[in-house]
Amino acid sequence: MRKFSAFAAASMAIGSLLAFAPSAAASGDGTCNVDKDACFFFNSGGKGAKVDLDDCWGYNHVNFKFIGPGNGAGITLKNNAASVKNYHHFVAVAVFYNSNQQGARQDIQPWITANLNSKLKNNNASSVFVESGNC
């Protein structure tokens, strides 16, 4: 019983320390990281609430919500984005009408803030960096 109590106490202490450890930036945290993220905005012209997706994966937009401040905070990214800024230095990000990177597509080149075209504005379902080999 004593060994178990010592182990339990040590485990709880380690768990407490880990709870306060800084977390790494991740997709959907609202921070648009240079050379890494595509930042989707609720409004045209890079305005309103935003959500960031990093360059490591293709994403279906249903699992992300816009983070404030600004118009659209708390609303799901899927079918609600009006503009995108590509913070990557070298790689375009492709935005798609359908999930799983299918359907109509618009490519946003590096360091460009672009309004989504008439097919994709408020009709965005997925995205991917065109050549994502930087992970």
Side-chain angles (χ1 to χ4, degrees), residues 88-135:
H88 202 286
H89 287 295
F90 308 109
V91 181
V93 63
V95 180
F96 294 88
Y97 183 82
N98 297 107
S99 296
N100 301 314
Q101 295 77 44
Q102 301 292 314
R105 165 184 175 161
Q106 180 178 349
D107 290 355
I108 291 88
Q109 298 304 314
W111 289 106
I112 299 294
T113 301
N115 291 332
L116 291 175
N117 64 36
S118 60
K119 289 182 183 177
L120 292 171
K121 183 176 182 179
N122 298 323
N123 285 309
N124 57 294
S126 62
S127 60
V128 67
F129 277 84
V130 176
E131 295 177 27
S132 49
N134 313 8
C135 301

Side-chain angles (χ1 to χ4, degrees), residues 11-22:
S11 295
M12 288 176 60
I14 291 170
S16 296
L17 289 173
L18 291 176
F20 293 104

Side-chain angles (χ1 to χ4, degrees), residues 21-66:
S23 61
S27 287
D29 67 2
T31 302
C32 298
N33 296 298
V34 172
D35 199 30
K36 183 175 176 170
D37 289 342
C39 204
F40 290 77
F41 293 89
F42 187 75
N43 296 116
S44 298
K47 306 287 185 201
K50 62 186 174 185
V51 63
D52 61 299
L53 300 179
D54 71 30
D55 67 343
C56 291
W57 313 101
Y59 291 96
N60 288 324
H61 293 174
V62 70
N63 297 319
F64 298 94
K65 292 188 178 193
F66 288 100

